[in-house]
Amino acid sequence: MNRLDELIAASAGVPDGTPDELGNARAALDAAIVARMRQDSPAGRKAANRWWSGRRGMAFVGVAGVAAAVAATVIVIPSSSPHPATSPRADSSAKPTVKAKAPARAKRTATTPGTSPVSYTFTVASTDVTAAYVFQKAAQSTPDGNAPLVNGWPDAPYWQTVSQIASSTCPGVVETSTDWLARSGAVVVQNVTSGPKSSMTSACIGPTGQSTYPVYNNPSGPMIGGKIYTWSQFSALPTDPARLQSILAADATVGVAPDKGESESDFLFQTIGILLTSDPVSPALRKALYAVWAEIPGVTVSGQYTDSLGRTGTALSFGSSTTVVDISNGQVLAQLDGAPPIPPGCVRATTAGNPHASCVVGGSGTTVYISAGPVSSEPSV
Amino acid sequence: MTGDSPSDRQLLAALPRQPELMAVLYERHAPAVFRYLARRAGPPAAEDLLSEVFIAALSASSRVVAHDSGSGLPWLYGIALNVLRVHFRQQRPTPGVTRDFGMDWEAVDSRLDAWAERGRLRTALAVLSDPDRELLLLVGWEGLSQAEAATALGISHGAVRVRLHRARKRALHALEKLQDSDPGSGGTHVTTLYSKEQPS
């Protein structure tokens, strides 16, 4: 346990609520429930009266008394639980399937992050490429160190990343995050949440009516496991894949433990994805990271991805996550939870002419990386 | 889950038609939500806010789905977070004290023995944005998995993974700098390390 975890653990202890404290809140909730039932319909009013009659006099019963509380009412349990946030839908207007073997070069569309939600689609495509091929192509297409990269790399003062997250629970809500990481370790972060006001409810993250999160300065740098690197230390990481892999593997679980149920390989797969999307990775290091990625056994190609910016990538799935890579330039385009969702009736197409070859689902819950690279301008705070 | 005790997933699915089922969720999760509120606002405020969380959940129940684990608790934590923000916004400002719309620091400090420890925790958490701090504490204080924290915050598991990674490295870095600059203290560095604009 590191110093941060010790502090968090030491400050976690609070007394449990007393029966009186929990009972008072329960009484207020009961009144609200009755009011809600009575406003629904005449039948609801009767039901409320019955429920309230049975409820009166009951104190907070706690977990052991849940069955008794359940018995105070009649529960109509549906046979299946709706899951609107992730329910996939077939879309007859889907873009034609593009064979992943020869993806179109990504269009470079100018975008102003945060001004309008980007719509994302994941198209399940026929593909016969292997993960090894994708990693190899991504590494090969990454510009080498002598290429005239934008804005003066490797001497640029800032590394800027722009990403967007579509809320998985609040329809239409998109959060755009722009990070400027300076060589000095200073960081400026700007988060802008956009979306219909009707979605800014108590069930959604983001306070009602607030669209901009604070902008702040703080020291930071690339991190592998629990070790924070300066830019120069980060650039000095070995680009020999075997040596780099040993460092990543050794540090992978230091400081940031894998989530419940994650394997170390799963964690390593994600760590590389984070480095490629968040940190000032030199072209040589980027190539090496792809080479290490390729050595993780069990990574599968799960389809073709397109977004409304016109970018196309190949989705690589492993463990609990999927990462989309543009093999035309080595950029990571998006990360999704788990394997891409497949709509009912849609099968992964393996042969031409399959009527379900193109299936498009909403991209809710996906992180899309708009851009990542060196910039020379100092952000205004 | 036995036949006598419906799962959270079943309860949440039936809630829009049967609001009285919120009482069952209350019996099941009120102690955990109370602790969530008490950690951030102190036990006295938690008692007042507990009913607000479940009443807000009642009005939002038509849109809820359970986390994949089946638990409704991450969803309730997400609502509790917003109830807390409203609570802190309604507090009377104290002259000379920067308002924090997500935390009563006196309540947090009271749980740490040493003054220096209090300063260090403040320093570590102060370099984080509000959403990142909440994510770190959902995992550290409430013991949620990353996937459950994603449900609470309404973002994807992948986004949680990236944000948690960034949050931890920033917090650790802040602690390291504090240690380097003055190994024996921590309480006086907060205001100089952190300048935070108020939310609009």
Side-chain angles (χ1 to χ4, degrees):
Chain A
M1 183 176 283
N2 62 37
R3 196 76 193 98
L4 177 64
D5 292 328
E6 288 173 359
L7 281 170
I8 291 175
S11 58
V14 289
D16 288 333
T18 65
D20 279 350
E21 289 170 332
L22 298 176
N24 291 340
R26 172 66 199 266
L29 173 64
D30 285 348
I33 289 173
V34 169
R36 171 74 178 272
M37 294 172 76
R38 285 176 174 162
Q39 77 182 21
D40 283 350
S41 66
R45 283 194 287 275
K46 288 183 181 177
N49 292 340
R50 282 197 303 274
W51 182 78
W52 184 244
S53 298
R55 169 63 202 149
R56 273 182 304 193
M58 289 178 68
F60 176 78
V61 294
V63 173
V66 164
V70 172
T73 188
V74 178
I75 301 176
V76 182
I77 301 297
S79 57
S80 62
S81 301
H83 205 299
T86 56
S87 291
R89 59 179 176 83
D91 186 343
S92 59
S93 64
K95 296 179 72 171
T97 299
V98 180
K99 294 277 283 184
K101 190 173 183 178
R105 177 168 288 275
K107 296 176 184 173
R108 295 292 168 245
T109 307
T111 177
T112 306
T115 54
S116 63
V118 174
S119 61
Y120 313 113
T121 59
F122 186 91
T123 304
V124 180
S126 171
T127 176
D128 53 3
V129 301
T130 64
Y133 171 83
V134 175
F135 287 127
Q136 183 185 21
K137 291 295 289 183
Q140 288 174 351
S141 61
T142 296
D144 64 36
N146 296 322
L149 290 178
V150 296
N151 296 322
W153 179 263
D155 299 321
Y158 298 99
W159 185 267
Q160 184 199 55
T161 57
V162 182
S163 59
Q164 288 191 325
I165 298 168
S167 171
S168 58
T169 56
C170 306
V173 173
V174 172
E175 183 178 308
T176 302
S177 178
T178 306
D179 286 30
W180 292 266
L181 173 63
R183 285 184 179 278
S184 64
V187 171
V188 172
V189 178
Q190 184 181 71
N191 290 332
V192 178
T193 301
S194 61
K197 198 158 187 173
S198 59
S199 290
M200 300 292 187
T201 67
S202 58
C204 298
I205 184 62
T208 304
Q210 180 179 322
S211 60
T212 305
Y213 290 109
V215 176
Y216 57 92
N217 286 295
N218 59 269
S220 189
M223 184 173 81
I224 300 171
K227 182 179 178 183
I228 297 171
Y229 290 70
T230 64
W231 280 33
S232 57
Q233 289 172 329
F234 193 60
S235 297
L237 281 172
T239 53
D240 171 70
R243 291 181 59 207
L244 181 60
Q245 195 275 342
S246 67
I247 292 174
L248 295 177
D251 285 352
T253 58
V254 176
V256 184
D259 199 20
K260 299 167 186 173
E262 283 184 352
S263 69
E264 290 195 13
S265 293
D266 199 353
F267 194 77
L268 179 61
F269 181 82
Q270 295 161 21
T271 296
I272 294 174
I274 290 171
L275 293 174
L276 286 170
T277 54
S278 306
D279 292 310
V281 183
S282 69
L285 184 56
R286 179 176 295 273
K287 290 173 184 283
L289 286 169
Y290 273 116
V292 176
W293 237 354
E295 292 300 314
I296 299 176
V299 179
T300 60
V301 176
S302 50
Q304 191 83 353
Y305 168 98
T306 59
D307 62 27
S308 59
L309 302 179
R311 308 182 305 177
T312 299
T314 304
L316 299 155
S317 296
F318 182 75
S320 60
S321 64
T322 293
T323 298
V324 182
V325 174
D326 183 345
I327 63 173
S328 70
N329 60 12
Q331 293 291 311
V332 175
L333 301 183
Q335 288 179 317
L336 303 81
D337 286 346
I342 310 299
C346 176
V347 296
R348 288 170 194 267
T350 54
T351 57
N354 187 311
H356 301 296
S358 179
C359 302
V360 177
V361 298
S364 162
T366 300
T367 302
V368 173
Y369 298 97
I370 307 296
S371 63
V375 294
S376 56
S377 60
E378 185 173 4
S380 59
V381 179
Chain B
M1 195 65 67
T2 68
D4 292 337
S5 182
S7 68
D8 280 9
R9 187 186 304 282
Q10 291 173 316
L11 292 171
L12 293 173
L15 260 180
R17 295 178 307 283
Q18 292 184 272
E20 66 272 25
L21 297 182
M22 184 58 75
V24 183
L25 287 170
Y26 182 90
E27 297 294 334
R28 196 171 280 169
H29 296 307
V33 175
F34 180 90
R35 288 192 293 274
Y36 174 94
L37 295 167
R39 286 186 178 110
R40 290 156 179 79
E47 181 183 0
D48 295 335
L49 297 173
L50 184 59
S51 62
E52 289 186 34
V53 173
F54 282 86
I55 291 171
L58 195 61
S59 66
S61 59
S62 63
R63 295 182 296 275
V64 67
V65 291
H67 176 257
D68 288 344
S69 69
S71 173
L73 194 51
W75 171 65
L76 291 169
Y77 284 150
I79 293 174
L81 170 63
N82 288 329
V83 167
L84 274 176
R85 283 198 180 111
V86 173
H87 165 73
F88 285 120
R89 283 175 184 278
Q90 291 172 341
Q91 299 298 297
R92 189 182 298 275
T94 303
V97 176
T98 301
R99 297 176 69 188
D100 188 324
F101 295 116
M103 196 77 71
D104 178 345
W105 280 105
E106 288 188 9
V108 177
D109 286 349
S110 68
R111 304 197 294 272
L112 289 169
D113 292 334
W115 179 252
E117 294 294 283
R118 299 173 180 180
R120 289 192 180 98
L121 181 64
R122 286 197 188 203
T123 298
L125 298 184
V127 297
L128 306 180
S129 67
D130 289 348
D132 284 355
R133 180 178 71 183
E134 182 59 23
L135 171 58
L136 186 64
L137 295 179
L138 277 172
V139 174
W141 276 356
E142 264 54 62
L144 294 192
S145 69
Q146 291 178 18
E148 289 169 333
T151 296
L153 298 176
I155 58 179
S156 73
H157 186 186
V160 160
R161 191 179 298 126
V162 172
R163 284 187 177 182
L164 192 59
H165 180 90
R166 292 178 184 171
R168 291 184 61 87
K169 74 179 179 184
R170 286 174 186 154
L172 279 166
H173 199 163
L175 284 175
E176 287 175 5
K177 279 186 72 90
L178 189 62
Q179 190 73 23
D180 291 345
S181 61
D182 191 354
S185 73
T188 59
H189 291 263
V190 178
T191 54
T192 55
L193 268 177
Y194 184 53
S195 174
K196 189 173 184 178
E197 291 182 357
Q198 299 304 323
S200 57

